């Protein structure tokens, strides 16, 4: 009986930070599958497409004005729960 690969989803608008998060998760589980999405909307679509074992969400997303807001990240967490 083989163990099923863990599927992790990282939702992070800074590509380098998202990659670093996946590298850290691979230190915990070298066999994991790590998917990075850059927006909460892309994260929701990914969650609709497949079962995910763990979601890591950035709470501060950039806005059109260049500021950061926690609203998109918190709305995503509310959607998940």
């Amino acid at each position: 009986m083989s163990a099923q690969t863990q599927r992790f989803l990282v939702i992070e608008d800074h590509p380098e930070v998202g990659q670093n998060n996946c590298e850290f998760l691979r230190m915990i589980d070298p066999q994991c599958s790590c998917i990075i999405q850059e927006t909460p909307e892309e994260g929701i679509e990914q969650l609709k497409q497949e079962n995910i074992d763990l979601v890591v969400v950035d709470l501060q997303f950039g806005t059109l004005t260049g500021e950061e807001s926690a609203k998109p990240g918190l709305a995503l967490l509310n959607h998940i729960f």
Side-chain angles (χ1 to χ4, degrees):
M1 181 168 77
S2 65
Q4 202 169 8
T5 302
Q6 297 282 332
R7 299 190 60 76
F8 301 151
L9 173 61
V10 173
I11 304 170
E12 169 60 62
D13 59 342
H14 293 93
E16 185 176 300
V17 174
Q19 192 63 38
N20 287 341
N21 286 338
C22 280
E23 291 303 318
F24 180 76
L25 292 169
R26 286 187 187 104
M27 289 170 61
I28 296 169
D29 181 358
Q31 303 303 315
C32 77
S33 170
C34 189
I35 303 157
I36 302 170
Q37 295 294 349
E38 292 188 8
T39 68
E41 296 79 18
E42 291 172 353
I44 289 171
E45 288 304 312
Q46 191 73 43
L47 289 168
K48 289 179 183 177
Q49 294 176 20
E50 61 186 306
N51 291 330
I52 299 293
D53 298 298
L54 175 72
V55 179
V56 177
V57 179
D58 177 9
L59 292 181
Q60 294 287 335
F61 285 91
T63 65
L64 294 176
T65 62
E67 297 175 0
E68 290 193 345
S69 173
K71 288 181 183 180
L74 293 173
L76 171 63
L77 290 175
N78 189 43
H79 176 82
I80 291 170
F81 291 121

